[in-house]
Amino acid sequence: QVQLVESGGGLVQPGASLRLSCAASDNIFSPYVMAWYRQAPGKQRELVAQIISGGSTNYADSVKGRFTISRDNAKNTVYLQMNSLKPEDTAVYYCFLRYPKSAEAYWGQGTQVTVSS
């Protein structure tokens, strides 16, 4: 079973930047889907950004142009660079990994991001 270990969350002011990291406990093999989700208080969990083996990415409209998802295959790690943070970005952010061919799916424990003055 793969463990996803997240780091990088915290409390920042509006306009600041954060980089979230998600490190997998084992090598990540293709094909895969890795993503960041977030869940704000009183709201459903939503997809923020997605990266697929091969490098293609997708973003929620609310973060497009501000957030960037990337990977470092040698470190078995996916990142979420978050710039120009807004109070509405406040949420628990979750890392997600899925292997489509085996139907395996894994979630990180979540890391809190709070954007407030």
Side-chain angles (χ1 to χ4, degrees), residues 2-8 20-26 34 36 75-79 93-97 106-111:
V2 177
Q3 290 182 302
L4 302 176
V5 181
E6 298 165 321
S7 61
L20 305 183
S21 298
C22 173
S25 61
D26 201 358
M34 295 198 75
W36 288 95
K75 297 181 179 180
N76 298 314
T77 300
V78 65
Y79 303 96
Y93 284 72
Y94 298 90
C95 184
F96 175 77
L97 166 66
Y106 304 94
W107 289 95
Q109 79 286 350
T111 184

Side-chain angles (χ1 to χ4, degrees), residues 11-18 66-67 81-90 113-117:
L11 171 64
V12 298
Q13 295 182 344
S17 296
L18 281 174
R66 299 187 297 121
F67 290 11
Q81 178 67 45
M82 305 185 294
N83 298 327
S84 302
L85 283 162
K86 305 174 180 179
E88 50 263 44
D89 295 318
T90 296
V113 172
T114 302
V115 185
S116 176
S117 60

Side-chain angles (χ1 to χ4, degrees), residues 17-39:
S17 296
L18 281 174
R19 188 176 74 162
L20 305 183
S21 298
C22 173
S25 61
D26 201 358
N27 292 336
I28 301 173
F29 298 98
S30 298
Y32 65 81
V33 177
M34 295 198 75
W36 288 95
Y37 286 76
R38 68 185 181 188
Q39 187 167 21

Side-chain angles (χ1 to χ4, degrees), residues 33-87:
V33 177
M34 295 198 75
W36 288 95
Y37 286 76
R38 68 185 181 188
Q39 187 167 21
K43 299 186 68 176
Q44 296 293 315
R45 190 172 298 186
E46 64 174 343
L47 177 66
V48 176
Q50 178 186 75
I51 188 165
I52 301 171
S53 52
S56 62
T57 59
N58 295 287
Y59 298 92
D61 288 342
S62 60
V63 307
K64 190 174 180 63
R66 299 187 297 121
F67 290 11
T68 303
I69 188 170
S70 62
R71 68 181 188 271
D72 186 333
N73 291 335
K75 297 181 179 180
N76 298 314
T77 300
V78 65
Y79 303 96
L80 185 67
Q81 178 67 45
M82 305 185 294
N83 298 327
S84 302
L85 283 162
K86 305 174 180 179

